[in-house]
Amino acid sequence: MKMPTPSSGLKSAIKGIFWLGSAALVLIIAVGIIYLISAQTSPSGKRIIKSLGDSVSITFDESDIPHIQAKSSTDALFALGYLHASERSWQMEINRRLASGRLSEILGKETFEIDRFIRTLGIKRAAEKQFDRYPIATKRLLQSYADGVNAGNAHLGWALPVEYFLTGSKPGNWSPTDSVAWMLMMALDLGGNWQKELQRLELSQFLSTKQVWEVIPAYTPGEPVSNTDFAKMYRDINVFNPNPLARDQKSKKLPATELTINEVPGGKDGIGSNNWALSGKLTASGKPLLANDPHLGLSAPAIWYMAHLEAPGLNVIGATLPGIPAVVLGRTDKFAWSFTNTGPDVQDLYIEQLDPKNPGVYRGLDGPLSFKVRQEIIDIKGEPSVRFLVKETRHGPVISESYASAKRVIDTDRFVLSLRWTALDIENQSVAGLLDMNHAKDLDTFKHALRKNYAPMQNVVMADVDGNIAYQAAGVAPKRTLHQGLYGVAPALGWEKKDDWTGYVPFEQLPNSNNPSTSWIATANQKILANNDPNPLTGDWDLPTRYDRIVELINGRSTHDLASMKAMQADTLSLGATPLLGLFKSVQSTHPLAQQAMELSKNFDGDMKIDSTGALIFNAWADQLTRKLFSRLGYLFTENYGSRNFRSPLILQLENPNSPWCNDPQTERIESCAETSNAAFDKALEQLSAQFGSNPKNWVWGNAHIAVSEHRPLSKVPFLGSLFNVAQPFPGDSFSVNVGRLELLRTDNPFETKQAPSLRTLYDLSDLEQSLFIYQSGQSGWVQSKFYRNMSALWARNEYLPLRMKPQKVGRQLDLAIKEK
């Protein structure tokens, strides 16, 4: 027998490996094809549902908006839950786990710190207690929605969204309290005052109170709502951590995660929105026009899902939040409504003093008090479970043991920080308020339903077909008195009565307006005062740049129509840039590219157009100038620059040409603001050359200002991130009506934006069927669906899709049927 030669044996082995590899590749391709065929990315046909009261018909229009026709509200909400699960199953699973502090069960130790913080706040526990007090009729609606979610997930079968396979997980059970918990998470995302309080506390280690106000200024500079010298107060009681090394070691952002579930929600500048209503006196049709664009974090899939619900006593279309059984922003056939964040101060931090002999006791108003203590257990994928204790004071949960920035700043042997927050109140029934709003017959009953909105407080601007426009701030906020105590601007001493809450502002005293003489209403997170209450709802309003520009645009025309409303939503003139243009254009530089850059910027007027070179050069200069003035704050600047934009303190300091903040403390000579501006310009040119090449003609705003909708949690995973994320060049900046807040130090590209109009809607009350909408991704949460990102380019170009109750074209149809007896 002839023995095989080594070379022939090697060839056989290679051939075998080749065929084995080919077979594996064929198998993978076959499984992929079977998966793509089996995945129910666009369900249609008939589904038999056991727990349904009666059959429901769902038709999908050309934009893939479902039109749900049901014979009862419970069945309509069941169908909405079914669709949310069918289209956004993974998004809902992540949201459910985030609100319950259970991300680490499927994502591992990277998300432990987020889970611990959410468990410390007790979001799910609060939701359960609140749900117990909901009216029985509302509980039934929430339960029906939850049943729909679970039925929708069950009908997905084995071919789940690919994220489940990548994380080795499956959809969990959705309960009514998960919906209540997600509403609390929205309130947390739209809050964040406590983080600003914490930053003022941290700055007080190194700065005087006057200097702290220069870094995080009052809304009206020089007129803070509190006159307390809090920096001295903190030093007098020795509140600060005596060990600087410990502070430096814990100065990283919390949490650090490669999987990007983001940081603790809330605490970012610019989370807000625009809305405005014009009465018929200002419109071509003689009927009102209404506009809304909420500014939330961009995500893929989007935070919103459009839907139309129709049943006896219910006919509403608009934006829903997967996880919540209601149209949050939208219209009926009689009226339309819109939200912006009022931004009241509903979160206060308290410094609680520990008993040195008994760490289980803290100092109360009249003597020692015992902490309420509970144990939490977090299961972590691939790691042992972690048990920890959560303490509560009379004000609320102790956060300084679960939030690194809070823990590092104080002497933890003597103090803790607790949080009081309205949203955790057992009386909170905001989801019930949304359901009542959806069932309102007219504007009057809608306004009555707003009384149930608890948190987050919203500026609700409304209009109806009868020609009325109205405004109401809806939610709860603590009563405060100007210049009494700290007014919530910085952590208060928990054992002193003067900063305790004494009640909430009555609904009747909240700001409101009906058919004002101006014939228009607008809100953009600017300062709002009630006529009968001179005490502002917070001391930390946003800069009024968007509001001021909206007012300019409203007054700039005698007559408006849908076209002018579109132009207003697309407006990119930045009133946060215009105060700096004089200094910018007076720059003197010897940089080789300076002359060309200045020539390209000479006509720049603050309009952040997508094709503007001046916009990019200006923003790079403003970024570097901000760093030069405030980077001396060390980690307290680097950690917060991005979530805080620092534009307000920059503008204020540059009003003084010799501001001490312009001087570089590391040089012997004293620099003026003009000299620091010149140095910032040189640095900006170096940065732009490195990032975009040495030809300034290529320095176009749209090349740098990219709107990124991040997927949770795969956005930072190589290859998968580019597959799941949605990105578009985008105009605007942090202060324009068409907002695109810069990330600054938070990303490698400081000009990137992850917070922009998450939705745009326009309503013409002369014909509500002409209503329009757009958002930045698509209806589907399935990455392989054509509806995953189909709206992205339209959104970036400020184009719209119809929002009709009676669509001109109908695509697929899905029927949910009861089992025949």
Side-chain angles (χ1 to χ4, degrees):
M1 187 173 74
K2 186 178 179 181
M3 297 294 289
T5 63
S7 59
S8 63
L10 183 61
K11 288 178 180 178
S12 297
I14 292 172
K15 189 181 290 186
I17 292 170
F18 171 78
W19 285 111
L20 204 63
S22 298
L25 182 61
V26 169
L27 182 63
I28 290 170
I29 292 172
V31 170
I33 292 172
I34 293 171
Y35 168 76
L36 290 174
I37 293 171
S38 302
Q40 300 183 46
T41 57
S42 299
S44 60
K46 191 174 184 178
R47 300 287 190 276
I48 303 299
I49 307 288
K50 294 180 181 180
S51 52
L52 201 59
D54 211 329
S55 58
V56 178
S57 172
I58 308 170
T59 56
F60 294 80
D61 65 23
E62 63 268 38
S63 302
D64 211 41
I65 297 176
H67 298 260
I68 299 169
Q69 291 185 306
K71 296 174 183 175
S72 69
S73 293
T74 52
D75 286 344
L77 292 181
F78 181 99
L80 181 63
Y82 187 95
L83 289 173
H84 280 167
S86 300
E87 303 274 16
R88 302 288 187 87
S89 179
W90 174 254
Q91 182 184 35
M92 293 187 71
E93 179 65 9
I94 281 290
N95 291 351
R96 182 183 70 83
R97 288 184 173 277
L98 176 59
S100 301
R102 296 180 58 193
L103 288 168
S104 302
E105 294 175 4
I106 62 170
L107 299 179
K109 61 183 179 181
E110 289 87 354
T111 54
F112 169 75
E113 297 293 351
I114 278 285
D115 282 346
R116 177 165 181 164
F117 184 76
I118 297 300
R119 292 279 191 98
T120 296
L121 291 185
I123 296 288
K124 188 66 187 292
R125 293 178 76 254
E128 290 167 348
K129 292 178 180 179
Q130 291 167 4
F131 178 75
D132 286 344
R133 295 167 67 104
Y134 270 49
I136 292 176
T138 306
K139 286 183 177 179
R140 287 176 181 153
L141 292 173
L142 282 161
Q143 184 63 59
S144 184
Y145 172 81
D147 291 343
V149 172
N150 293 323
N153 275 327
H155 283 195
L156 292 176
W158 73 271
L160 296 168
V162 69
E163 292 97 328
Y164 287 110
F165 298 109
L166 293 171
T167 56
S169 59
K170 292 182 178 180
N173 181 71
W174 190 274
S175 71
T177 57
D178 288 319
S179 294
V180 179
W182 190 239
M183 190 71 180
L184 293 180
M185 290 301 295
M186 291 303 300
L188 183 61
D189 191 45
L190 292 170
N193 175 267
W194 71 269
Q195 281 113 321
K196 192 168 279 189
E197 289 186 39
L198 181 58
Q199 287 166 31
R200 288 192 175 113
L201 174 64
E202 289 196 285
L203 288 168
S204 296
Q205 298 168 91
F206 316 110
L207 304 177
S208 67
T209 299
K210 177 179 179 294
Q211 290 171 320
V212 173
W213 281 120
E214 290 171 351
V215 175
I216 309 180
Y219 177 80
T220 306
E223 297 179 24
V225 292
S226 172
N227 294 325
T228 301
D229 187 349
F230 48 81
K232 179 179 184 299
M233 179 181 78
Y234 299 142
R235 285 192 290 271
D236 286 347
I237 63 168
N238 294 317
V239 73
F240 297 118
N241 186 343
N243 184 357
L245 283 177
R247 178 167 54 243
D248 291 340
Q249 289 164 1
K250 298 171 185 175
S251 66
K252 294 179 181 179
K253 288 196 290 284
L254 179 136
T257 168
E258 290 298 316
L259 289 175
T260 307
I261 294 294
N262 294 326
E263 304 87 355
V264 170
K268 299 182 181 72
D269 285 340
I271 288 189
S273 308
N274 303 319
N275 63 4
W276 62 89
L278 310 180
S279 82
K281 293 179 181 178
L282 299 179
T283 69
S285 68
K287 291 287 187 177
L289 292 167
L290 176 66
N292 192 197
D293 54 291
H295 306 157
L296 301 171
L298 302 179
S299 64
I303 191 173
W304 304 106
Y305 178 81
M306 308 303 285
H308 175 203
L309 307 176
E310 188 174 1
L314 178 69
N315 189 21
V316 61
I317 187 171
T320 70
L321 291 167
I324 294 178
V327 170
V328 178
L329 298 169
R331 70 173 181 90
T332 68
D333 56 352
K334 302 289 185 186
F335 62 88
W337 75 94
S338 61
F339 286 171
T340 71
N341 201 28
T342 313
D345 183 354
V346 297
Q347 299 170 331
D348 277 2
L349 287 180
Y350 290 89
I351 298 168
E352 313 283 9
Q353 188 172 29
L354 300 175
D355 186 328
K357 298 179 181 177
N358 184 356
V361 170
Y362 68 99
R363 183 179 175 184
L365 294 176
D366 302 311
L369 296 171
S370 296
F371 289 103
K372 292 181 181 178
V373 181
R374 69 176 189 274
Q375 180 178 259
E376 293 282 352
I377 303 173
I378 295 179
D379 296 325
I380 306 172
K381 183 179 181 179
E383 302 279 341
S385 298
V386 174
R387 299 170 183 262
F388 64 96
L389 297 179
V390 174
K391 299 174 184 174
E392 285 189 32
T393 72
R394 66 190 185 91
H395 296 115
V398 170
I399 66 164
S400 51
E401 295 175 359
S402 64
Y403 192 72
S405 297
K407 188 174 185 178
R408 73 182 176 207
V409 66
I410 59 173
D411 182 350
T412 52
D413 292 333
R414 300 174 58 239
F415 300 99
V416 295
L417 284 172
S418 65
L419 173 68
R420 175 94 194 259
W421 178 31
T422 57
L424 298 178
D425 292 353
I426 198 169
E427 295 84 5
N428 184 354
Q429 294 195 1
S430 293
V431 179
L434 281 175
L435 289 165
D436 286 356
M437 288 159 54
N438 281 193
H439 287 84
K441 297 176 182 178
D442 52 35
L443 217 50
D444 287 338
T445 50
F446 181 86
K447 290 177 185 176
H448 186 75
L450 292 177
R451 290 175 173 268
K452 285 189 179 178
N453 188 61
Y454 205 91
M457 180 181 278
Q458 296 291 289
N459 295 317
V460 188
V461 174
M462 306 151 268
D464 69 10
V465 295
D466 295 327
N468 298 299
I469 62 172
Y471 161 74
Q472 176 67 56
V476 300
K479 285 182 179 179
R480 303 184 194 272
T481 303
L482 268 177
H483 306 126
Q484 178 176 303
L486 280 161
Y487 210 89
V489 300
L493 305 185
W495 57 92
E496 292 188 355
K497 191 174 183 179
K498 62 183 178 182
D499 286 298
D500 276 354
W501 296 359
T502 57
Y504 293 151
V505 180
F507 186 86
E508 290 74 19
Q509 289 184 17
L510 292 174
N512 65 85
S513 177
N514 292 292
N515 297 318
S517 58
T518 57
S519 299
W520 59 265
I521 299 168
T523 77
N525 319 114
Q526 81 281 8
K527 184 177 181 179
I528 292 173
L529 280 176
N531 293 330
N532 56 352
D533 186 355
N535 299 306
L537 296 171
T538 180
D540 287 310
W541 304 100
D542 279 1
L543 279 175
T545 56
R546 287 179 284 113
Y547 173 77
D548 290 346
R549 180 59 178 160
I550 290 167
V551 174
E552 279 183 15
L553 293 168
I554 291 173
N555 293 330
R557 296 172 59 112
S558 58
T559 305
H560 287 270
D561 53 19
L562 275 178
S564 66
M565 298 285 275
K566 290 179 184 178
M568 288 175 68
Q569 285 194 331
D571 189 78
T572 51
L573 182 67
S574 171
L575 298 189
T578 50
L580 301 176
L581 288 179
L583 183 61
F584 172 64
K585 294 189 177 184
S586 65
V587 159
Q588 296 180 2
S589 171
T590 58
H591 192 282
L593 297 175
Q595 186 173 352
Q596 190 178 2
M598 290 305 296
E599 181 66 24
L600 289 167
S601 304
K602 69 179 181 180
N603 294 322
F604 176 65
D605 61 356
D607 197 344
M608 304 297 173
K609 295 178 181 177
I610 202 165
D611 60 353
S612 170
T613 302
L616 179 52
I617 296 171
F618 170 86
N619 277 292
W621 166 80
D623 174 30
Q624 294 298 335
L625 185 56
T626 305
R627 297 185 194 202
K628 284 192 172 294
L629 261 70
F630 300 111
S631 61
R632 70 194 65 186
L633 299 173
Y635 68 87
L636 293 178
F637 175 74
T638 56
E639 285 186 2
N640 294 303
Y641 184 44
S643 58
R644 301 285 177 217
N645 57 56
F646 283 80
R647 183 58 57 89
S648 178
L650 179 67
I651 292 172
L652 289 172
Q653 291 310 311
L654 294 177
E655 289 175 355
N656 173 10
N658 297 305
S659 167
W661 289 92
C662 290
N663 177 48
D664 185 349
Q666 296 181 340
T667 64
E668 290 186 8
R669 63 186 304 272
I670 298 176
E671 289 88 359
S672 67
C673 291
E675 290 172 306
T676 303
S677 169
N678 296 340
F681 191 77
D682 289 348
K683 188 72 174 175
L685 297 184
E686 291 174 17
Q687 175 195 355
L688 293 175
S689 299
Q691 194 170 352
F692 302 104
S694 58
N695 184 355
K697 289 183 178 179
N698 296 329
W699 298 352
V700 178
W701 187 226
N703 292 342
H705 195 235
I706 308 296
V708 181
S709 300
E710 289 191 317
H711 180 275
R712 292 180 172 183
L714 303 175
S715 65
K716 292 290 190 289
V717 178
F719 174 70
L720 291 177
S722 59
L723 178 66
F724 283 91
N725 293 346
V726 178
Q728 286 287 346
F730 198 71
D733 74 351
S734 303
F735 311 98
S736 52
V737 175
N738 191 15
V739 75
R741 188 179 62 79
L742 278 60
E743 287 294 298
L744 302 167
L745 280 178
R746 297 164 64 84
T747 57
D748 292 335
N749 173 16
F751 313 112
E752 195 172 272
T753 180
K754 297 178 184 176
Q755 189 177 303
S758 63
L759 169 73
R760 297 189 191 99
T761 50
L762 293 172
Y763 306 98
D764 185 346
L765 277 296
S766 70
D767 182 4
L768 279 167
E769 284 296 278
Q770 297 302 310
S771 299
L772 301 168
F773 87 99
I774 198 70
Y775 60 83
Q776 90 290 350
S777 60
Q779 286 281 87
S780 179
W782 296 79
V783 70
Q784 66 266 42
S785 169
K786 66 179 182 179
F787 292 113
Y788 182 77
R789 63 181 78 223
N790 62 302
M791 300 183 203
S792 179
L794 298 174
W795 169 81
R797 297 195 300 264
N798 275 87
E799 298 178 19
Y800 298 78
L801 294 172
L803 188 62
R804 298 190 181 104
M805 287 184 167
K806 298 175 182 177
Q808 294 177 346
K809 294 181 182 179
V810 172
R812 61 190 166 103
Q813 180 163 336
L814 175 64
D815 293 316
L816 306 182
I818 57 175
K819 191 171 184 179
E820 297 180 5
K821 296 180 181 179

